[in-house]
């Protein structure tokens, strides 16, 4: 039997659950297919204010998050750059986040993803676990549904739209066409495990992520609970020998190269059983697709793109893209905006957000400068109207798109519209950058030239000329009123 839905979402991670919720909330029939049984393990534990205050607020899970008792994250604590002293990133300095008790959280993804998936169910999406999508159905130049395995039985579901939110390992993204381009600059490898009894930063920063650069790369140190800490080393390809062989010894040796993390783990014990008992590795996770949609299908979250985790942007990009995709789908299903216009808006905003993180991260990886240089680059990149420090905090909080839906205010408004800046190559925009050292372009697919990535090209900041704006409820696109003259 073939079933029919308005939308089939593939994958129940944050990208898939959020898309399903935003579309189901608008009254459309949604089927979400997830191949695992939740709760399931996933990395990506440090969240940004844009996710916690913005998309989660709009999803309606704010109370669930507070009840879950996640560690409150007020920002970051960096030993990074030429400054020998650690420096603090404080989200409370961002307008709209001042005085918040919990600007963001550190989460065990098994619990966080379960909350979002349960919420999708509660909001009307039909969620089926242990259902693995094997391919898409097509007809008349469109994607028209999916084939999937349900307990070994092959089934089909037809839909007006298929959303691929199957993450980093899914293969479905190929169905939109184009290519997945792996970043030549961020060819890093992560090695990570869990510890109990690690030290905590002094208050009020005990819940902050600690990020420490060390000779072979950098470490994250994320307090998930008073007892449990997630610890990961990210090393460059050139250092691959250091993560080969026995993982326990490799992680130990890397910890011994560090200063702060070694000290914070001095009395800690590695967890060796249960879901946190393994030492895991991940590689080849920084990439971007050349296409994000085709008629009837759209890519969300890691299925579309991801870049190095040093600024914890993954779940933000997944949930932000979910909101943009859901707005597009809701508007098309309602008949208010046509498909190319709606998905071009989705794609341009998503690429801009991804591009901001990517471009900023390239400069952040230059450790021969101090933090004031990073702050300056954040301001240059985003055209943020106020101080350089605020520009940096806003960008790494996931708030540089200027959309007020991301800080829980009125969803219809955009907070600021920085002046448009000329598109160009990164070298053209930042003449002081040594592009040979920082970036090796794949000449066929220059990673930064948004012009070549988005049909027609997009301005870097603010709404596109002739582009769409968020609707009053934040769940659709609206066509802006023509500007009044005279
Ligand atoms: P996922 O969370 O991967 O969810 C995809 C889901 O799809 C999975 O549940 C999977 O089972 C399911 N699926 C796959 N194939 C199929 C199929 N064929 N049929 C049905 N279901 C399918 N992000 C942060 O925000 N903060 C961090 O601190 C952070 N740290 C990271 C550290 C490392 C080393 C790495 C590699 C990433 C990190 N990330 C971090 C990124 C984060 O893990 C991802 O960006 C995020 O999980 C993406 O969410 P998603 O919904 O797109 O995909």
């Amino acid at each position: 039997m073939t079933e029919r839905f308005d939308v089939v979402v593939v994958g129940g991670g944050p990208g898939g659950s959020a898309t399903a919720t935003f579309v189901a909330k608008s009254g459309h029939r949604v089927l979400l297919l997830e191949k695992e049984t939740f709760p399931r393990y996933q990395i990506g534990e440090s969240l940004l204010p844009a996710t916690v205050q913005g998309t989660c607020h709009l999803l309606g899970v704010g109370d669930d998050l507070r009840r879950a008792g996640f560690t409150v994250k007020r920002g970051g604590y960096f030993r990074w750059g030429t400054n020998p002293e650690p420096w603090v990133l404080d989200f409370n300095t961002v307008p709209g986040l001042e005085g918040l008790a919990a600007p963001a959280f550190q989460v065990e993804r098994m619990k966080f993803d379960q909350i979002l998936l349960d919420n999708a169910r509660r909001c009307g999406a039909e969620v089926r676990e242990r259902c693995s999508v094997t391919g898409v159905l097509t007809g008349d130049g469109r994607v028209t549904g999916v084939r999937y395995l349900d307990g070994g039985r092959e089934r089909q579901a037809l839909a007006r739209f298929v959303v691929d939110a199957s993450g980093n390992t899914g293969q479905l993204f190929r169905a939109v066409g184009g290519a997945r381009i792996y970043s030549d600059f961020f060819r890093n490898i992560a090695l990570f495990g869990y510890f109990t009894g690690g030290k905590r930063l002094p208050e009020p920063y005990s819940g902050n992520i600690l990020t420490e650069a060390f000779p072979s790369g950098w470490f994250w140190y994320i307090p998930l609970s008073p007892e449990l800490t997630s610890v990961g080393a990210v090393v460059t390809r050139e250092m691959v020998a250091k993560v080969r062989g026995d993982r326990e010894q490799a992680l130990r040796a890397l910890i011994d190269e560090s200063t702060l993390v070694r000290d914070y783990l001095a009395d800690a014990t590695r967890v060796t059983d249960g879901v946190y008992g393994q030492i895991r590795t991940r590689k080849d996770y920084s990439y971007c697709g050349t296409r994000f949609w085709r008629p009837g299908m759209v890519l969300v979250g890691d299925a579309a793109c991801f870049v190095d985790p040093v600024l914890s942007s993954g779940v933000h990009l997944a949930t932000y893209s979910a909101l943009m995709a859901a707005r597009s789908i809701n508007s098309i299903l309602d008949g208010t905006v046509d498909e190319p216009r709606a998905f071009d808006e989705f794609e341009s905003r998503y690429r801009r957000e991804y591009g901001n993180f990517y471009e900023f991260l390239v400069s952040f990886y230059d450790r021969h400068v101090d933090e004031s240089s990073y702050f300056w680059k954040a301001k240059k990149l985003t055209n943020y109207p106020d101080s350089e420090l605020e520009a940096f905090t806003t960008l790494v909080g996931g708030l540089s798109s200027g959309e007020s839906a991301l800080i829980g205010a009125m969803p219809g408004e955009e907070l600021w519209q920085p002046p448009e800046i000329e598109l160009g190559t990164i070298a053209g925009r930042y003449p002081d950058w040594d592009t040979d050292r920082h970036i090796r372009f794949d000449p066929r697919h220059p990673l930064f030239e948004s012009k070549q990535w988005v049909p027609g090209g997009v301005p870097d900041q603010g709404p596109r000329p002739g582009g769409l704006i968020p609707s009053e409820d934040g769940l659709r696109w609206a066509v802006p009123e023509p500007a009044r003259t005279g």
Side-chain angles (χ1 to χ4, degrees), residues 360-434:
F360 181 71
L361 276 167
V362 171
S363 66
F364 197 67
Y365 259 69
D366 181 353
R367 307 221 215 103
H368 301 99
V369 293
D370 71 9
E371 63 270 24
S372 61
S373 170
Y374 306 134
F375 303 163
W376 177 82
K377 281 197 168 125
K379 184 168 163 82
K380 273 294 257 189
L381 184 64
T382 59
N383 277 354
Y384 189 80
D386 294 314
S387 77
E388 294 172 1
L389 174 62
E390 217 174 271
F392 170 77
T393 315
T394 302
L395 192 153
V396 303
L399 298 162
S400 64
S401 62
E403 207 191 285
S404 65
L406 296 186
I407 54 169
M410 288 301 293
E413 300 162 19
E414 309 213 41
L415 286 181
W416 63 85
Q417 298 179 6
E420 285 170 25
I421 53 175
E422 274 292 298
L423 273 176
T425 63
I426 196 160
R429 284 166 54 186
Y430 301 104
D432 58 331
W433 284 19
D434 172 357

Side-chain angles (χ1 to χ4, degrees), residues 11 14-15 34-36 40 42-44 46 109 133 166 302 314-315:
E34 164 59 51
K35 71 174 181 184
E36 306 279 345
R40 58 92 179 90
Q42 176 59 296
I43 190 64
S46 195
R109 284 288 300 274
V133 173
S166 61
D302 279 9
V315 173

Side-chain angles (χ1 to χ4, degrees), residues 9-17 32-38 40-48 51 73 106 109 113 128 130-135 148 164-172 189-192 209 218 220 222 232-234 281-286 300-319 321 350:
V9 177
V10 184
S17 295
L32 185 153
L33 299 169
E34 164 59 51
K35 71 174 181 184
E36 306 279 345
T37 307
F38 273 37
R40 58 92 179 90
Y41 176 84
Q42 176 59 296
I43 190 64
E45 296 146 333
S46 195
L47 303 186
L48 303 186
T51 306
K73 172 183 171 185
Q106 317 282 16
R109 284 288 300 274
D113 289 15
R128 295 183 195 156
R130 293 174 301 284
C131 287
S132 179
V133 173
T134 52
Y148 66 101
D164 177 16
S166 61
N168 172 296
T169 53
Q171 296 300 313
L172 213 61
I189 303 161
L191 181 73
F192 48 100
I209 181 170
W218 60 271
W220 76 73
I222 301 174
V234 174
T281 62
R282 290 280 295 268
K283 64 181 173 78
D284 296 335
Y285 44 71
S286 295
V300 154
D302 279 9
C305 55
F306 179 65
V307 60
D308 195 85
V310 67
L311 294 179
S312 311
S313 55
V315 173
H316 160 60
L317 288 170
T319 51
S321 60
Y350 189 11

Side-chain angles (χ1 to χ4, degrees), residues 79-251:
R79 171 60 198 87
W80 195 278
T82 49
N83 187 347
E85 293 304 317
W87 46 277
V88 168
L89 154 78
D90 188 344
F91 291 137
N92 276 152
T93 58
V94 174
L97 300 179
E98 314 97 324
L100 285 179
F105 292 116
Q106 317 282 16
V107 298
E108 291 183 64
R109 284 288 300 274
M110 285 188 295
K111 296 180 184 167
F112 178 73
D113 289 15
Q114 182 81 65
I115 287 173
L116 295 196
L117 193 67
D118 289 347
N119 185 55
R121 271 197 188 95
R122 214 163 42 223
C123 291
E126 176 151 354
V127 175
R128 295 183 195 156
E129 297 175 55
R130 293 174 301 284
C131 287
S132 179
V133 173
T134 52
V136 298
L137 306 168
T138 55
D140 290 335
R142 294 184 64 81
V143 170
T144 55
V146 296
R147 278 190 306 277
Y148 66 101
L149 288 172
D150 179 358
R153 265 186 318 153
E154 175 138 326
R155 301 178 68 170
Q156 296 190 347
L158 295 176
R160 293 273 304 278
F161 295 101
V162 171
V163 177
D164 177 16
S166 61
N168 172 296
T169 53
Q171 296 300 313
L172 213 61
F173 71 90
R174 295 180 197 284
V176 293
R180 177 176 279 187
I181 309 301
Y182 287 86
S183 165
D184 209 13
F185 183 74
F186 294 108
R187 293 174 72 215
N188 298 337
I189 303 161
L191 181 73
F192 48 100
Y194 294 81
F195 291 80
T196 53
K199 284 189 205 160
R200 293 291 174 255
L201 289 162
E203 291 300 346
Y205 303 123
S206 64
N208 280 21
I209 181 170
L210 187 165
T211 308
E212 181 187 6
F214 71 108
S216 302
W218 60 271
F219 264 105
W220 76 73
Y221 185 96
I222 301 174
L224 291 176
S225 73
E227 264 301 296
L228 187 67
T229 309
S230 166
V231 179
V234 174
V235 302
T236 60
R237 272 291 155 102
E238 293 71 43
M239 300 285 172
V240 67
K242 297 202 175 195
V243 295
R244 285 219 179 100
D246 184 90
R247 290 183 183 178
E248 178 86 48
Q249 282 176 12
L251 187 57

